[in-house]
Amino acid sequence: MSLLKQINFLTNLRNATVKTSLRAVSTKGVTLSYDKDPQPLFTDPETQKLLKSITQLRLSKVFRKRAVKDNSVEYKFMTSEDLEEEFRKTVEKAKLKLQMPPVVKIKEDEQKIISEDKALKDFSNTKFVITDITFGVRHTDRKVVVRETDGTLRYAPMDVAKRMKQLYVPLEGRSIQTPKMFEDEHLQRCLDELKYEFILDRLLVQYDPYEPEFHRISAKVYQHLNETKEFEQLRSTRHFGPMAFFYAWHKTIDDLLYDMIRRDYLRNGAELIALYYKMHSVPENYTDLLATLDQYNNLEEPALKELQSTLKPAIKDDIHEEIETAIGKSAKDFEVDELCLKFIDNYVATHALKKVQLELAIQTLKEINAEKKQLYEGLSKAHGVQK
């Protein structure tokens, strides 16, 4: 078989998809919530590392064209060294754009009493709301208090404080009144139209992460996403990590894991399982696998390779690189796949709720990868390439 025919065969092979579908577990009418404070676990360095890796740093997705005020392009003449430095800066900018919103518990509306001044009782027949409008104070540190008609001075309720802050020191994009899109009728229509990223972006502007509405709406989005299986919409966005964290917390990772297996993101699948084990203290050894995976590549390496492949065309004489590009995997990738598949197999056999669907997906992927590996080894041997 000529090299051209082999590459054409491989192209068709890469487009093969697993046709087995997962039956969605209906959660309509039931909105899941955190039963305790998730912040300590979410901010744990190991958890953050797993979530960032699961999210994937795709520059083409992070810097995709969007409707913005300024769409101008700047051109520069650069040396090779300048270009490499610009690559690194671009990756850092992308990492900032993928900064995950915090996952915290719902803040209780305590309305603490500051003082009770009986001498001010019946001084007025209306309440007084006093807002700190000091310049430069952080929005969360700005105080709003209420003087009751009986002379009691207390901190304002959360909804009143939020409204007063927005009135005097408005945050860009936030409305004083709740946007119509967050009303159940309109929200459901947005969900049915699969506008998940739009909803979550708007949610971050309108609500703080500790507000009950933020938790309710985000949970509703994640649950709807789990039913439609449209996880790719949030992959490589700042919302993917919190979504994966939500599924792991509520022990509903099987659908997301299936999607990762179907798309051949085995490393991400293994990391998702490791997060699940860590979160629920499952007596499984995942630290050794993570340590081994760290030796292969880091989060930035694929992103830098993506930039270099775009701006630096591959050398045509490099047959090794041509083979890897055609197949989509290197010898190192096949090694990682074997480690991850073994780890995923163990989870499916002992902890998965949807064993049959996951087993079928794994078997299909194993067959595809076996053909790819055989073709890779055959091409490498035929051209005398050292793996």
Side-chain angles (χ1 to χ4, degrees):
M1 184 185 293
S2 66
L3 178 60
L4 181 60
K5 288 183 178 180
Q6 289 172 324
I7 291 177
N8 288 335
F9 166 75
L10 184 60
T11 301
N12 294 330
L13 188 62
R14 290 173 65 185
N15 292 331
T17 57
V18 180
K19 296 183 179 180
T20 306
S21 61
L22 282 174
R23 179 174 55 86
V25 177
S26 179
T27 55
K28 291 183 179 179
V30 179
T31 303
L32 300 176
S33 61
Y34 294 104
D35 53 354
K36 59 181 180 180
D37 187 5
Q39 183 178 6
L41 187 57
F42 181 78
T43 55
D44 179 81
E46 186 178 49
T47 300
Q48 285 290 304
K49 186 177 180 180
L50 288 171
L51 292 177
K52 287 177 182 178
S53 181
I54 289 171
T55 297
Q56 295 187 11
L57 180 59
R58 293 187 197 163
L59 299 179
S60 57
K61 178 78 174 282
V62 175
F63 295 111
R64 67 193 184 280
K65 290 184 178 180
R66 307 183 75 170
V68 294
K69 295 179 181 178
D70 183 11
N71 247 333
S72 60
V73 179
E74 182 180 0
Y75 295 93
K76 293 181 180 179
F77 289 101
M78 294 184 176
T79 63
S80 298
E81 292 76 14
D82 292 337
L83 195 58
E84 291 293 338
E85 180 62 26
E86 197 64 30
F87 283 169
R88 286 189 284 272
K89 289 181 180 179
T90 300
V91 171
E92 291 303 316
K93 289 178 183 177
K95 288 164 69 175
L96 286 176
K97 285 181 174 289
L98 291 182
Q99 184 67 43
M100 293 176 283
V103 177
V104 298
K105 68 176 181 179
I106 296 176
K107 186 177 180 181
E108 296 182 3
D109 196 359
E110 296 179 337
Q111 301 180 39
K112 291 182 179 179
I113 295 176
I114 301 172
S115 65
E116 295 181 354
D117 302 305
K118 300 299 182 182
L120 296 177
K121 183 178 180 181
D122 297 329
F123 175 79
S124 174
N125 58 1
T126 59
K127 299 178 182 179
F128 285 84
V129 180
I130 302 100
T131 306
D132 178 9
I133 59 172
T134 305
F135 178 77
V137 177
R138 289 178 56 189
H139 206 70
T140 52
D141 295 335
R142 201 174 293 279
K143 304 300 182 185
V144 180
V145 297
V146 177
R147 175 71 74 178
E148 305 283 355
T149 55
D150 63 356
T152 301
L153 183 67
R154 69 172 74 237
Y155 286 109
M158 287 173 56
D159 59 331
V160 174
K162 180 179 179 179
R163 190 165 63 250
M164 291 298 102
K165 291 176 186 179
Q166 186 62 20
L167 181 64
Y168 290 107
V169 192
L171 293 178
E172 185 178 357
R174 178 173 289 187
S175 303
I176 294 180
Q177 301 296 330
T178 301
K180 290 286 186 182
M181 66 169 289
F182 292 129
E183 295 178 0
D184 288 342
E185 177 186 353
H186 303 295
L187 177 61
Q188 188 59 48
R189 187 168 74 247
C190 289
L191 290 172
D192 293 339
E193 294 174 359
L194 309 181
K195 296 180 178 179
Y196 301 119
E197 187 179 5
F198 171 71
I199 297 171
L200 293 172
D201 281 343
R202 187 70 180 86
L203 186 66
L204 283 173
V205 175
Q206 184 62 31
Y207 296 102
D208 292 311
Y210 55 77
E211 292 188 71
E213 281 299 287
F214 183 94
H215 280 247
R216 183 185 69 83
I217 295 173
S218 60
K220 196 168 185 178
V221 172
Y222 298 151
Q223 289 177 244
H224 194 277
L225 240 170
N226 203 36
E227 293 176 356
T228 60
K229 313 295 185 295
E230 293 289 337
F231 305 111
E232 189 66 15
Q233 288 203 22
L234 292 189
R235 187 169 276 114
S236 203
T237 71
R238 56 182 171 170
H239 307 296
F240 197 87
M243 179 195 71
F245 184 87
F246 180 87
Y247 294 151
W249 184 282
H250 296 290
K251 301 182 179 180
T252 56
I253 66 170
D254 284 10
D255 291 317
L256 180 56
L257 177 61
Y258 173 85
D259 181 77
M260 290 174 172
I261 296 171
R262 184 174 67 86
R263 297 180 186 277
D264 199 4
Y265 299 149
L266 295 180
R267 174 169 180 161
N268 291 160
E271 290 167 334
L272 179 64
I273 294 170
L275 176 65
Y276 173 87
Y277 287 163
K278 174 183 176 65
M279 195 172 289
H280 300 287
S281 302
V282 178
E284 297 282 357
N285 182 16
Y286 62 87
T287 54
D288 290 345
L289 174 70
L290 296 181
T292 304
L293 293 178
D294 285 341
Q295 297 174 5
Y296 283 92
N297 56 34
N298 54 36
L299 181 65
E300 298 179 7
E301 187 175 325
L304 286 171
K305 190 177 292 185
E306 181 184 352
L307 273 177
Q308 291 166 351
S309 65
T310 303
L311 300 178
K312 293 183 178 181
I315 301 174
K316 294 182 179 179
D317 294 336
D318 190 349
I319 189 64
H320 190 191
E321 187 173 346
E322 187 177 347
I323 292 172
E324 288 186 355
T325 302
I327 293 179
K329 287 180 181 288
S330 64
K332 184 170 64 174
D333 293 330
F334 287 117
E335 293 175 8
V336 172
D337 286 351
E338 289 181 10
L339 290 172
C340 294
L341 275 171
K342 184 178 179 181
F343 188 73
I344 294 172
D345 273 333
N346 179 66
Y347 165 80
V348 173
T350 56
H351 302 288
L353 299 177
K354 299 186 176 181
K355 286 184 171 61
V356 176
Q357 296 93 331
L358 289 171
E359 286 172 353
L360 287 173
I362 291 172
Q363 183 59 36
T364 304
L365 183 63
K366 283 181 177 179
E367 293 172 1
I368 293 175
N369 276 353
E371 292 187 43
K372 286 185 178 182
K373 186 175 182 180
Q374 183 180 5
L375 186 55
Y376 175 86
E377 292 174 346
L379 288 172
S380 298
K381 184 177 180 180
H383 293 279
V385 177
Q386 295 293 328
K387 294 182 286 181

